[in-house]
Amino acid sequence: MIENRAQSRHRKDDFSLDGLSFLLADVQDNLGNFLTAFLTIQSWPSSRIGAAIAAGGLGAVLARFIGGWALDIIACRRLMLAVCCAVTVVSVAMMAWVPLFYPIVVAHFLAGGAGALFTPILAAISHHTAGARGYIERMGRNESFNHLGNASSGFLMSLLGRMMGPVAPLWGVGGLAAVSLVLVGGFSAQADEPSGQSREAASMRETLRAICTLLSEPRLAVFLATYLLFNVANGAVVPLMIERYAFAHLGDPAVVTAICIVVAQITMAPVAFFVGNKAMQWPRKPLFILALALQPVRDSLVILSTGWPILTLIQVLDGLSSGIILVLFYAILSDIASGSGRRNLLIGLGLALGTIGALVSNLAGGALASGYGFNATFIILGLTGAAVTCLFAFGMPETRPAASN
């Protein structure tokens, strides 16, 4: 009887995690794109659109820093998730109803912060519901559903935008966040299981001391530097590739964007699921090196050809690389944080650095492309990616515990 109740609880948690990973993908990854399209139709100048989008990025960085720390000490994860869903609904409604500069900036700041917390909250819940041994497999499954959700909802929102105008995708994103509230209620009480960390350990002084201690470990410093620089090298590739196609009049930018998103996301879904299932059996380092090495290969292919077959291949390689990295990110940080009680803090710190890297990449990539042209920019990004691969290959030891063999 007890075993049946445990299985029923596990199925409920799996269903909620699958559904939320699928539904919230669009909220996390595509809201900025839909907002850009909406504000462009509203005849906003580029400088104001940039400020509104940057506000969402700033909200994401701050939320991930603070959220990772909070998840290690606060047990009410279901409430945190529900609040993030509610904030997203209200923020998106404000964007759609009041398309004025300051309300949009505030709303996107809040929505960016709420959306950025979905992934670390789901990761924390996954650890408590799946257990330490099933955690990485569960994260691979989360990422798989996330990418399927991105591909599906991106296609659906594009249709809504064509049929009902650019404000329709914003309402669609808000609707997905509202539906997600129902799934939050489906989690078992295990999602709110206390972490066991003392209040003294949760204090800001002890938190800063723990961060300094962890950062003094070469493995964490190398890995965080790798993840930051990978996002610097990788973040601008697809936007610049789309801009290059539009600049050369090689195709409709909307079609190119759709193909880039769908091909990469469909590739990531099975890769993330497979890597999650094998992560407890395979060493982390060789697979992570392979994923990093694919980034400069993609840049080389962009320079060599502008044909559709190569574009598709580039995005398949993006899906392979990102599908591996996004799952092993959690595996490696979980290995490093083992026994410290700071796993969620490290995840939040790593995600925040990745967001910063992507923002820097887009700013630097745009400036380089304007000043030196697309090919020179892709060469610089490719060389950066190659340097990052070497940094990880020569500076990072294997982290998988020997007991996992």
Side-chain angles (χ1 to χ4, degrees):
M1 192 70 165
I2 294 175
E3 185 177 345
N4 287 338
R5 282 202 299 268
Q7 289 176 346
S8 175
R9 182 186 63 199
H10 187 66
R11 281 195 297 268
K12 284 175 58 180
D13 291 333
D14 275 345
F15 180 78
S16 290
L17 284 167
D18 291 345
L20 287 167
S21 296
F22 185 89
L23 291 175
L24 294 175
D26 215 39
V27 180
Q28 298 174 86
D29 299 324
N30 292 326
L31 178 58
N33 296 330
F34 298 140
L35 180 60
T36 299
F38 173 63
L39 297 179
T40 301
I41 297 298
Q42 298 290 321
S43 301
W44 278 38
S46 297
S47 59
R48 290 206 158 198
I49 294 176
I53 300 305
L58 177 61
V61 171
L62 293 176
R64 282 174 166 168
F65 272 125
I66 297 170
W69 166 74
L71 283 165
D72 279 329
I73 60 175
I74 297 176
C76 49
R77 300 175 191 90
R78 289 178 293 181
L79 177 60
M80 292 176 67
L81 195 53
V83 169
C84 288
C85 289
V87 168
T88 300
V89 173
V90 173
S91 300
V92 170
M94 184 186 294
M95 293 179 205
W97 276 334
V98 192
L100 302 175
F101 180 68
Y102 289 108
I104 289 283
V105 168
V106 172
H108 197 222
F109 175 83
L110 294 174
L117 283 177
F118 287 132
T119 296
I121 294 174
L122 291 179
I125 292 174
S126 296
H127 192 270
H128 283 276
T129 57
R133 291 195 61 81
Y135 171 61
I136 303 305
E137 182 178 350
R138 179 63 253 185
M139 289 307 301
R141 185 163 162 171
N142 286 359
E143 290 295 332
S144 182
F145 274 92
N146 179 277
H147 299 312
L148 289 174
N150 247 324
S152 303
S153 57
F155 177 73
L156 176 62
M157 297 305 169
S158 297
L159 285 180
L160 284 176
R162 284 179 175 273
M163 294 167 57
M164 303 170 64
V167 74
L170 292 180
W171 287 118
V173 169
L176 291 175
V179 173
S180 298
L181 280 168
V182 178
L183 291 173
V184 173
F187 280 117
S188 69
Q190 192 172 4
D192 288 340
E193 182 180 310
S195 63
Q197 196 176 72
S198 67
R199 291 204 173 269
E200 182 183 352
S203 68
M204 188 56 66
R205 177 182 295 179
E206 288 302 316
T207 298
L208 291 173
R209 183 179 298 174
I211 292 174
C212 292
T213 301
L214 287 166
L215 287 176
S216 67
E217 184 183 352
R219 293 186 304 169
L220 181 60
V222 171
F223 181 72
L224 291 179
T226 298
Y227 193 67
L228 170 66
L229 294 174
F230 168 76
N231 280 280
V232 170
N234 188 63
V237 172
V238 172
L240 286 176
M241 190 167 62
I242 293 168
E243 187 178 341
R244 183 179 183 230
Y245 270 69
F247 183 80
H249 303 290
L250 296 172
D252 183 353
V255 174
V256 176
T257 302
I259 289 175
C260 287
I261 291 173
V262 171
V263 170
Q265 296 295 332
I266 288 177
T267 305
M268 287 181 207
V271 171
F273 189 85
F274 181 74
V275 172
N277 275 283
K278 298 296 183 181
M280 294 301 289
Q281 305 167 32
W282 292 352
R284 326 280 196 219
K285 186 173 179 177
L287 201 56
F288 207 87
I289 291 172
L290 170 64
L292 293 173
L294 290 175
Q295 196 276 325
V297 173
R298 291 173 60 223
D299 290 326
S300 301
L301 290 172
V302 173
I303 295 169
L304 292 175
S305 176
T306 55
W308 281 102
I310 295 298
L311 173 65
T312 304
L313 175 60
I314 289 168
Q315 289 309 100
V316 168
L317 293 178
D318 182 27
L320 286 170
S321 176
S322 298
I324 294 169
I325 287 174
L326 289 170
V327 176
L328 292 186
F329 168 86
Y330 295 99
I332 292 173
L333 285 182
S334 185
D335 295 339
I336 295 172
S338 178
S340 71
R342 306 287 178 172
R343 177 177 42 80
N344 292 308
L345 176 64
L346 292 191
I347 288 173
L349 178 61
L351 290 173
L353 289 175
T355 303
I356 293 171
L359 291 172
V360 169
S361 180
N362 282 287
L363 289 172
L368 288 170
S370 297
Y372 302 99
F374 290 107
N375 283 351
T377 303
F378 283 116
I379 289 172
I380 293 170
L381 292 175
L383 290 173
T384 304
V388 173
T389 305
C390 293
L391 169 66
F392 188 85
F394 295 107
M396 186 73 183
E398 176 59 54
T399 63
R400 187 174 72 111
S404 296
N405 292 326

